[in-house]
Amino acid sequence: MNTIDDKTIVKDYFNATGFDRWRRIYGDGEVNKVQEDIRIGHQKTIDTVLDWLKGEENLASLSVCDAGCGVGSLSIPLAEAGAKISASDISEKMVQEATKRAKETLGESNNVTFMVQDLEGLTGEYDTVICLDVLIHYPTEDAGKMINHLSSLAKSRLIISFAPKTLCLTLLKKIGELFPGPSKTTRAYQHREKEIVQILENNGFKIQRKAMNSTRFYYSRILEATRN
């Protein structure tokens, strides 16, 4: 399946049944046990990145691109901490929800701007570019092109997360494919860490920090890379 096919599937999914499902997961309302497990895992990833950035005590001076912002789970607390955020998502419904949540939390603050845009259409320059839990929707070749583009936007740092390709996770994925359901509308791609690192290095970045967050149904390797 090529990039445009995957993009179309992802866009349609998150503008339809996927939006309602993931809005609940990214919220604080009642969800089933699997969704709650994913919610916990995703929040761990958000908290890890927030801890990294807040630990440097210079958030107020940073311009940040949150590529694939979803409902604003990362953008809103970063803006609340003083960073200047440009947030985007391929799903119009996700952006609408993120805008609503930002207004409820931040009031009329102009620290964050949301827009509907796919990753490869993003422009500008930012101190830090962040892309969390997006690459799972794309095969490595296409994810590599996206990382290349995101690298061109980052003046000093790029933070990404992906589902690591390991024997254990590959087996779990195959088992899950035996039980298809209506919620499994997008493909879940895993990526070899060494390949992702090589792509970053080819773009002039070096790895500074790593983290691994996992629950029963959520697995995310986070890499922080800075320009050489």
Side-chain angles (χ1 to χ4, degrees):
M1 182 174 292
N2 59 36
T3 306
I4 188 65
D5 289 332
D6 281 313
K7 277 187 183 179
T8 300
I9 290 172
V10 171
K11 182 178 180 179
D12 290 347
Y13 174 64
F14 283 103
N15 274 323
T17 57
F19 169 70
D20 292 327
R21 178 173 185 257
W22 289 96
R23 179 180 58 177
R24 291 196 301 272
I25 291 174
Y26 293 154
D28 54 10
E30 185 176 347
V31 290
N32 63 41
K33 290 184 178 180
V34 173
Q35 292 171 336
E36 182 179 11
D37 183 86
I38 295 171
R39 173 190 286 174
I40 291 169
H42 176 73
Q43 189 59 49
K44 284 182 179 179
T45 293
I46 295 295
D47 290 342
T48 296
V49 174
L50 286 174
D51 287 345
W52 284 356
L53 297 183
K54 289 181 178 179
E56 298 173 1
E57 300 182 351
N58 67 338
L59 261 181
S61 66
L62 290 183
S63 60
V64 178
C65 171
D66 183 8
C69 64
V71 298
S73 302
L74 178 66
S75 293
I76 294 171
L78 283 178
E80 199 169 20
K84 185 71 173 179
I85 311 298
S86 177
S88 61
D89 199 278
I90 196 172
S91 166
E92 183 177 359
K93 281 195 172 183
M94 285 289 186
V95 170
Q96 290 173 349
E97 179 68 16
T99 302
K100 173 177 173 289
R101 294 187 184 194
K103 188 172 183 179
E104 291 172 350
T105 303
L106 304 171
E108 299 302 323
S109 169
N110 61 357
N111 272 31
V112 58
T113 301
F114 293 99
M115 61 180 173
V116 180
Q117 185 64 269
D118 64 67
L119 297 188
E120 292 159 306
L122 294 175
T123 60
E125 276 192 329
Y126 309 89
D127 296 314
T128 297
V129 175
I130 304 173
C131 183
L132 302 181
D133 292 352
V134 172
L135 300 182
I136 192 172
H137 300 298
Y138 302 95
T140 298
E141 180 181 354
D142 298 328
K145 294 176 184 177
M146 293 178 176
I147 295 172
N148 291 340
H149 182 65
L150 293 175
S151 296
S152 73
L153 309 178
K155 291 192 285 187
S156 60
R157 173 169 51 190
L158 177 59
I159 299 175
I160 61 175
S161 74
F162 57 94
K165 190 174 183 64
T166 65
L167 177 60
C168 178
L169 294 186
T170 298
L171 290 174
L172 285 174
K173 182 174 180 291
K174 287 187 178 298
I175 292 172
E177 289 171 350
L178 297 176
F179 303 94
S183 64
K184 298 176 183 178
T185 308
T186 62
R187 294 191 178 193
Y189 294 98
Q190 299 166 280
H191 305 292
R192 291 185 174 85
E193 182 174 340
K194 65 179 182 180
E195 294 181 4
I196 299 298
V197 170
Q198 186 61 61
I199 294 168
L200 291 166
E201 291 177 348
N202 290 345
N203 281 281
F205 287 83
K206 61 181 177 181
I207 304 302
Q208 290 296 332
R209 282 182 284 196
K210 299 181 181 182
M212 180 68 197
N213 292 324
S214 63
T215 60
R216 290 182 63 192
F217 300 100
Y218 177 95
Y219 300 86
S220 181
R221 167 65 88 183
I222 313 169
L223 300 179
E224 177 192 50
T226 57
R227 284 204 176 276
N228 292 322

